[in-house]
Amino acid sequence: MDILLQQLINGVTVGSVYALVALGYTMVYGIIGLINFAHGDVVMVGAMVATTVVTALVGADPGGMSPWLVIAVSLAAAIPVCAALGWLAERFAYRPLRRAPRLAPLISAIGVSIIIQTLAMMVWGRNYLSFPHIIKPTIYQIGGARISFLQVAIILSAIAIMAGLLLVVHRTRLGTAMRATAQNREVAGLMGVNINTVIAAAFIIGSVLAAVAGVMVTTYYGVAQYTMGFLLGLKAFTAAVLGGIGNLGGAMLGGLLLGIIESLGAGYIGDLTHGVFGSNYQDVFAFIVLILALVFRPSGLLGERVGDRA
Protein backbone atom coordinates (compact mmCIF):
# COMPACT_ATOMS: atom_id res chain seq x y z
CA MET A 1 0.00 0.00 0.00
CA ASP A 2 2.85 2.37 0.84
CA ILE A 3 4.51 1.61 -2.48
CA LEU A 4 1.26 2.19 -4.36
CA LEU A 5 0.70 5.57 -2.69
CA GLN A 6 4.33 6.56 -3.25
CA GLN A 7 4.14 5.70 -6.94
CA LEU A 8 0.88 7.63 -7.27
CA ILE A 9 2.54 10.72 -5.75
CA ASN A 10 5.54 10.35 -8.07
CA GLY A 11 3.23 9.78 -11.01
CA VAL A 12 1.15 12.89 -10.36
CA THR A 13 4.35 14.94 -10.04
CA VAL A 14 5.79 13.75 -13.35
CA GLY A 15 2.34 13.77 -14.95
CA SER A 16 1.93 17.44 -14.07
CA VAL A 17 5.02 18.21 -16.14
CA TYR A 18 3.81 16.01 -19.01
CA ALA A 19 0.49 17.83 -18.94
CA LEU A 20 2.12 21.25 -19.29
CA VAL A 21 4.18 20.08 -22.26
CA ALA A 22 1.21 18.26 -23.80
CA LEU A 23 -0.79 21.50 -23.69
CA GLY A 24 1.76 23.06 -26.05
CA TYR A 25 1.29 20.20 -28.52
CA THR A 26 -2.48 20.24 -28.32
CA MET A 27 -2.88 24.03 -28.64
CA VAL A 28 -0.88 24.16 -31.85
CA TYR A 29 -2.55 21.04 -33.23
CA GLY A 30 -6.00 22.30 -32.33
CA ILE A 31 -5.47 25.55 -34.25
CA ILE A 32 -3.41 24.66 -37.29
CA GLY A 33 -3.37 20.85 -37.27
CA LEU A 34 0.41 20.61 -36.90
CA ILE A 35 2.26 18.18 -34.65
CA ASN A 36 5.13 20.38 -33.54
CA PHE A 37 7.85 17.84 -32.88
CA ALA A 38 10.24 20.65 -31.92
CA HIS A 39 8.18 21.44 -28.83
CA GLY A 40 10.13 19.05 -26.60
CA ASP A 41 13.34 20.83 -27.56
CA VAL A 42 11.86 24.13 -26.41
CA VAL A 43 11.41 22.46 -23.02
CA MET A 44 15.08 21.46 -23.17
CA VAL A 45 16.14 25.06 -23.88
CA GLY A 46 14.10 26.24 -20.89
CA ALA A 47 15.85 23.69 -18.68
CA MET A 48 19.31 24.60 -19.98
CA VAL A 49 18.76 28.35 -19.58
CA ALA A 50 17.39 27.89 -16.06
CA THR A 51 20.29 25.65 -15.04
CA THR A 52 22.81 28.12 -16.44
CA VAL A 53 21.22 31.08 -14.64
CA VAL A 54 20.93 29.23 -11.33
CA THR A 55 24.55 28.06 -11.55
CA ALA A 56 25.71 31.61 -12.27
CA LEU A 57 23.69 33.14 -9.43
CA VAL A 58 24.75 30.53 -6.90
CA GLY A 59 28.38 30.83 -7.98
CA ALA A 60 28.33 34.62 -7.77
CA ASP A 61 26.72 34.81 -4.34
CA PRO A 62 26.53 31.40 -2.64
CA GLY A 63 23.90 31.46 0.08
CA GLY A 64 23.06 35.10 -0.56
CA MET A 65 19.70 34.67 -2.27
CA SER A 66 16.65 32.67 -1.37
CA PRO A 67 16.57 29.39 -3.37
CA TRP A 68 13.04 30.10 -4.56
CA LEU A 69 14.05 33.61 -5.65
CA VAL A 70 16.92 32.08 -7.62
CA ILE A 71 14.50 29.69 -9.34
CA ALA A 72 12.09 32.56 -10.04
CA VAL A 73 14.91 34.53 -11.69
CA SER A 74 15.89 31.50 -13.77
CA LEU A 75 12.26 31.09 -14.82
CA ALA A 76 12.10 34.77 -15.76
CA ALA A 77 15.15 34.21 -17.96
CA ALA A 78 13.89 30.97 -19.53
CA ILE A 79 10.41 32.23 -20.46
CA PRO A 80 11.40 34.99 -22.94
CA VAL A 81 14.05 32.76 -24.54
CA CYS A 82 11.54 29.94 -25.10
CA ALA A 83 8.79 32.34 -26.20
CA ALA A 84 11.14 33.88 -28.76
CA LEU A 85 12.11 30.41 -29.96
CA GLY A 86 8.47 29.42 -30.42
CA TRP A 87 7.67 32.64 -32.28
CA LEU A 88 10.71 32.29 -34.58
CA ALA A 89 9.81 28.69 -35.42
CA GLU A 90 6.22 29.65 -36.25
CA ARG A 91 7.19 32.74 -38.23
CA PHE A 92 9.97 31.29 -40.36
CA ALA A 93 9.51 27.49 -40.42
CA TYR A 94 5.76 26.87 -40.22
CA ARG A 95 3.89 29.97 -41.48
CA PRO A 96 5.27 29.74 -45.05
CA LEU A 97 4.03 26.11 -45.17
CA ARG A 98 0.44 26.60 -44.01
CA ARG A 99 -0.99 25.85 -47.42
CA ALA A 100 1.62 23.22 -48.30
CA PRO A 101 0.86 19.48 -48.27
CA ARG A 102 0.46 18.14 -44.73
CA LEU A 103 3.77 16.30 -44.78
CA ALA A 104 5.80 19.47 -45.42
CA PRO A 105 5.24 21.23 -42.05
CA LEU A 106 5.72 17.90 -40.27
CA ILE A 107 9.15 17.48 -41.84
CA SER A 108 9.86 21.13 -41.12
CA ALA A 109 9.09 20.50 -37.43
CA ILE A 110 11.59 17.65 -37.35
CA GLY A 111 14.14 19.94 -38.97
CA VAL A 112 13.50 22.67 -36.40
CA SER A 113 13.96 20.06 -33.65
CA ILE A 114 17.36 19.03 -35.03
CA ILE A 115 18.43 22.66 -35.44
CA ILE A 116 17.51 23.52 -31.84
CA GLN A 117 19.35 20.46 -30.52
CA THR A 118 22.43 21.30 -32.56
CA LEU A 119 22.46 24.92 -31.42
CA ALA A 120 22.02 23.80 -27.80
CA MET A 121 24.95 21.39 -28.18
CA MET A 122 27.10 24.22 -29.57
CA VAL A 123 26.14 26.57 -26.72
CA TRP A 124 26.14 24.20 -23.73
CA GLY A 125 28.20 21.26 -24.96
CA ARG A 126 27.44 17.53 -24.96
CA ASN A 127 27.79 16.91 -21.25
CA TYR A 128 25.03 16.97 -18.67
CA LEU A 129 24.62 20.20 -16.72
CA SER A 130 24.06 19.68 -12.99
CA PHE A 131 21.41 21.79 -11.34
CA PRO A 132 22.84 23.12 -8.03
CA HIS A 133 21.26 21.62 -4.91
CA ILE A 134 19.87 24.86 -3.54
CA ILE A 135 16.55 23.54 -2.21
CA LYS A 136 16.75 21.78 1.13
CA PRO A 137 14.74 18.54 0.98
CA THR A 138 11.67 19.06 3.15
CA ILE A 139 9.75 15.78 3.38
CA TYR A 140 6.17 15.20 4.51
CA GLN A 141 4.67 11.83 5.39
CA ILE A 142 1.28 10.87 3.91
CA GLY A 143 -0.03 7.45 4.89
CA GLY A 144 3.42 5.89 4.88
CA ALA A 145 4.49 7.57 1.63
CA ARG A 146 6.79 10.55 1.28
CA ILE A 147 6.22 13.76 -0.63
CA SER A 148 8.74 16.57 -0.81
CA PHE A 149 7.96 20.26 -0.74
CA LEU A 150 9.36 20.47 -4.28
CA GLN A 151 6.82 17.90 -5.48
CA VAL A 152 4.02 19.84 -3.80
CA ALA A 153 5.24 23.04 -5.47
CA ILE A 154 5.38 21.38 -8.91
CA ILE A 155 1.89 19.89 -8.60
CA LEU A 156 0.25 23.08 -7.28
CA SER A 157 2.06 25.27 -9.82
CA ALA A 158 0.95 23.04 -12.68
CA ILE A 159 -2.66 23.09 -11.46
CA ALA A 160 -2.61 26.90 -11.19
CA ILE A 161 -1.07 27.30 -14.66
CA MET A 162 -3.55 24.90 -16.26
CA ALA A 163 -6.46 26.71 -14.60
CA GLY A 164 -5.06 30.03 -15.82
CA LEU A 165 -4.77 28.69 -19.36
CA LEU A 166 -8.40 27.53 -19.32
CA LEU A 167 -9.44 31.01 -18.18
CA VAL A 168 -7.47 32.59 -21.01
CA VAL A 169 -9.00 30.26 -23.60
CA HIS A 170 -12.60 30.49 -22.36
CA ARG A 171 -12.83 33.97 -20.83
CA THR A 172 -10.71 36.33 -22.95
CA ARG A 173 -10.92 37.84 -26.44
CA LEU A 174 -7.70 36.06 -27.37
CA GLY A 175 -9.17 32.76 -26.28
CA THR A 176 -12.33 33.41 -28.28
CA ALA A 177 -10.21 34.21 -31.33
CA MET A 178 -8.19 31.04 -30.80
CA ARG A 179 -11.32 28.90 -30.60
CA ALA A 180 -12.76 30.58 -33.68
CA THR A 181 -9.53 30.00 -35.59
CA ALA A 182 -9.51 26.36 -34.52
CA GLN A 183 -13.06 25.96 -35.84
CA ASN A 184 -12.48 27.57 -39.23
CA ARG A 185 -9.52 29.79 -40.09
CA GLU A 186 -11.02 31.32 -43.22
CA VAL A 187 -14.33 32.25 -41.58
CA ALA A 188 -12.53 33.60 -38.50
CA GLY A 189 -10.41 35.78 -40.77
CA LEU A 190 -13.53 37.11 -42.50
CA MET A 191 -14.96 37.97 -39.07
CA GLY A 192 -11.96 40.19 -38.33
CA VAL A 193 -9.72 37.78 -36.44
CA ASN A 194 -6.03 38.30 -37.18
CA ILE A 195 -5.11 34.72 -37.93
CA ASN A 196 -1.36 35.26 -37.90
CA THR A 197 -1.48 36.91 -34.47
CA VAL A 198 -3.66 34.17 -33.03
CA ILE A 199 -1.45 31.37 -34.32
CA ALA A 200 1.70 33.14 -33.14
CA ALA A 201 0.08 33.60 -29.71
CA ALA A 202 -0.64 29.86 -29.53
CA PHE A 203 3.02 29.09 -30.21
CA ILE A 204 4.21 31.67 -27.68
CA ILE A 205 1.84 30.47 -24.95
CA GLY A 206 2.86 26.87 -25.60
CA SER A 207 6.52 27.86 -25.42
CA VAL A 208 5.98 29.67 -22.12
CA LEU A 209 4.43 26.49 -20.72
CA ALA A 210 7.42 24.59 -22.09
CA ALA A 211 9.79 26.95 -20.26
CA VAL A 212 7.97 26.36 -16.99
CA ALA A 213 8.05 22.61 -17.59
CA GLY A 214 11.76 22.78 -18.36
CA VAL A 215 12.49 24.56 -15.09
CA MET A 216 10.39 21.97 -13.23
CA VAL A 217 12.21 19.06 -14.87
CA THR A 218 15.70 20.31 -14.20
CA THR A 219 14.82 21.31 -10.64
CA TYR A 220 13.24 17.89 -9.96
CA TYR A 221 15.82 15.63 -11.62
CA GLY A 222 18.85 17.86 -11.06
CA VAL A 223 20.31 17.58 -14.58
CA ALA A 224 19.79 18.99 -18.06
CA GLN A 225 21.23 17.98 -21.42
CA TYR A 226 20.70 18.97 -25.03
CA THR A 227 18.94 15.72 -26.03
CA MET A 228 16.56 15.60 -23.06
CA GLY A 229 13.72 17.21 -25.02
CA PHE A 230 13.40 14.33 -27.47
CA LEU A 231 12.10 11.68 -25.09
CA LEU A 232 10.22 14.18 -22.94
CA GLY A 233 8.53 15.57 -26.05
CA LEU A 234 7.51 12.12 -27.26
CA LYS A 235 6.01 11.31 -23.88
CA ALA A 236 4.09 14.58 -23.81
CA PHE A 237 2.88 13.90 -27.35
CA THR A 238 1.73 10.48 -26.14
CA ALA A 239 -0.14 12.21 -23.31
CA ALA A 240 -1.81 14.56 -25.78
CA VAL A 241 -2.88 11.63 -28.00
CA LEU A 242 -4.08 9.66 -24.98
CA GLY A 243 -6.24 12.53 -23.76
CA GLY A 244 -7.42 13.55 -27.24
CA ILE A 245 -5.06 15.80 -29.16
CA GLY A 246 -6.59 19.20 -29.80
CA ASN A 247 -8.47 19.10 -26.49
CA LEU A 248 -6.99 21.09 -23.59
CA GLY A 249 -8.72 19.04 -20.91
CA GLY A 250 -7.61 15.90 -22.69
CA ALA A 251 -3.97 17.01 -22.62
CA MET A 252 -4.15 17.61 -18.88
CA LEU A 253 -5.87 14.28 -18.24
CA GLY A 254 -3.52 12.42 -20.57
CA GLY A 255 -0.44 13.91 -18.90
CA LEU A 256 -1.55 12.91 -15.43
CA LEU A 257 -2.60 9.43 -16.53
CA LEU A 258 0.65 8.85 -18.38
CA GLY A 259 2.70 9.96 -15.38
CA ILE A 260 0.76 7.62 -13.09
CA ILE A 261 0.95 4.68 -15.51
CA GLU A 262 4.68 5.20 -15.94
CA SER A 263 5.32 5.41 -12.19
CA LEU A 264 3.16 2.40 -11.38
CA GLY A 265 4.90 0.46 -14.12
CA ALA A 266 8.32 1.41 -12.75
CA GLY A 267 7.25 0.42 -9.24
CA TYR A 268 5.79 -2.96 -10.08
CA ILE A 269 7.53 -4.15 -13.24
CA GLY A 270 10.15 -5.99 -11.19
CA ASP A 271 7.52 -7.96 -9.26
CA LEU A 272 5.40 -8.63 -12.35
CA THR A 273 8.34 -10.00 -14.36
CA HIS A 274 10.05 -11.71 -11.38
CA GLY A 275 13.04 -9.43 -11.67
CA VAL A 276 13.61 -9.86 -15.42
CA PHE A 277 12.93 -6.15 -16.01
CA GLY A 278 13.74 -3.29 -13.64
CA SER A 279 12.42 0.22 -13.13
CA ASN A 280 14.83 1.50 -15.80
CA TYR A 281 12.35 0.13 -18.37
CA GLN A 282 9.71 2.66 -17.29
CA ASP A 283 9.97 4.60 -20.57
CA VAL A 284 8.53 1.60 -22.40
CA PHE A 285 5.15 2.14 -20.77
CA ALA A 286 4.63 5.53 -22.43
CA PHE A 287 4.95 4.00 -25.87
CA ILE A 288 2.84 0.97 -25.01
CA VAL A 289 0.15 3.46 -24.04
CA LEU A 290 0.67 5.35 -27.31
CA ILE A 291 0.26 2.18 -29.39
CA LEU A 292 -2.80 1.04 -27.44
CA ALA A 293 -4.39 4.49 -27.74
CA LEU A 294 -3.79 4.64 -31.50
CA VAL A 295 -5.12 1.11 -31.99
CA PHE A 296 -8.18 1.14 -29.75
CA ARG A 297 -9.10 4.82 -29.38
CA PRO A 298 -7.26 7.05 -31.87
CA SER A 299 -9.53 9.98 -30.99
CA GLY A 300 -8.27 9.89 -27.38
CA LEU A 301 -10.16 9.67 -24.11
CA LEU A 302 -11.93 13.00 -24.58
CA GLY A 303 -12.64 12.39 -28.19
CA GLU A 304 -11.19 15.04 -30.54
CA ARG A 305 -11.09 13.82 -34.11
CA VAL A 306 -7.62 13.14 -35.52
CA GLY A 307 -8.71 11.93 -38.92
CA ASP A 308 -6.96 13.91 -41.63
CA ARG A 309 -4.54 16.26 -39.95
CA ALA A 310 -0.74 16.11 -40.05
Side-chain angles (χ1 to χ4, degrees):
M1 185 63 186
D2 294 351
I3 296 176
L4 174 62
L5 184 57
Q6 186 64 61
Q7 295 304 331
L8 287 175
I9 291 172
N10 296 340
V12 171
T13 305
V14 177
S16 299
V17 177
Y18 291 161
L20 288 181
V21 184
L23 283 170
Y25 278 103
T26 212
M27 284 179 64
V28 169
Y29 182 86
I31 292 178
I32 62 173
L34 167 70
I35 298 173
N36 181 17
F37 280 117
H39 190 60
D41 298 293
V42 179
V43 179
M44 174 272 294
V45 170
M48 300 293 269
V49 170
T51 303
T52 303
V53 170
V54 169
T55 303
L57 290 176
V58 172
D61 186 16
M65 293 178 66
S66 161
W68 296 104
L69 179 60
V70 171
I71 292 176
V73 172
S74 71
L75 182 61
I79 285 177
V81 173
C82 291
L85 203 56
W87 179 81
L88 287 171
E90 189 279 330
R91 179 64 184 85
F92 297 104
Y94 303 140
R95 188 180 299 184
L97 299 175
R98 275 186 205 161
R99 297 187 182 280
R102 292 195 301 270
L103 195 57
L106 199 63
I107 294 173
S108 181
I110 296 172
V112 171
S113 170
I114 294 172
I115 290 171
I116 293 175
Q117 284 190 33
T118 304
L119 290 175
M121 183 186 68
M122 294 169 65
V123 172
W124 287 288
R126 295 176 178 272
N127 297 327
Y128 283 85
L129 300 183
S130 296
F131 190 88
H133 295 287
I134 58 175
I135 301 176
K136 293 181 180 177
T138 304
I139 305 295
Y140 305 101
Q141 296 286 338
I142 301 178
R146 294 155 58 92
I147 182 170
S148 68
F149 184 77
L150 179 59
Q151 286 177 302
V152 174
I154 289 174
I155 294 169
L156 294 181
S157 300
I159 291 173
I161 292 169
M162 288 187 278
L165 179 64
L166 288 177
L167 283 176
V168 168
V169 171
H170 293 286
R171 292 289 186 271
T172 66
R173 290 173 61 86
L174 174 61
T176 303
M178 292 171 75
R179 285 183 285 126
T181 305
Q183 289 288 325
N184 191 311
R185 264 185 282 171
E186 285 71 22
V187 173
L190 292 174
M191 298 297 290
V193 174
N194 188 326
I195 303 300
N196 289 332
T197 301
V198 169
I199 295 175
F203 272 88
I204 290 173
I205 292 173
S207 299
V208 169
L209 296 178
V212 176
V215 174
M216 289 179 174
V217 168
T218 190
T219 307
Y220 188 54
Y221 290 109
V223 293
Q225 203 248 0
Y226 76 99
T227 60
M228 64 181 282
F230 176 72
L231 186 58
L232 180 61
L234 283 181
K235 289 183 179 179
F237 172 66
T238 301
V241 172
L242 175 63
I245 192 163
N247 185 304
L248 294 180
M252 299 174 194
L253 177 64
L256 290 174
L257 285 177
L258 185 66
I260 291 171
I261 291 170
E262 192 177 274
S263 292
L264 289 177
Y268 290 102
I269 189 172
D271 293 336
L272 293 175
T273 61
H274 301 288
V276 176
F277 298 108
S279 60
N280 55 319
Y281 286 89
Q282 68 178 45
D283 294 338
V284 172
F285 291 98
F287 302 105
I288 291 176
V289 169
L290 176 61
I291 293 170
L292 292 176
L294 290 175
V295 170
F296 294 105
R297 194 171 174 81
S299 60
L301 295 175
L302 298 189
E304 289 289 321
R305 292 181 63 84
V306 296
D308 58 353
R309 291 181 172 179

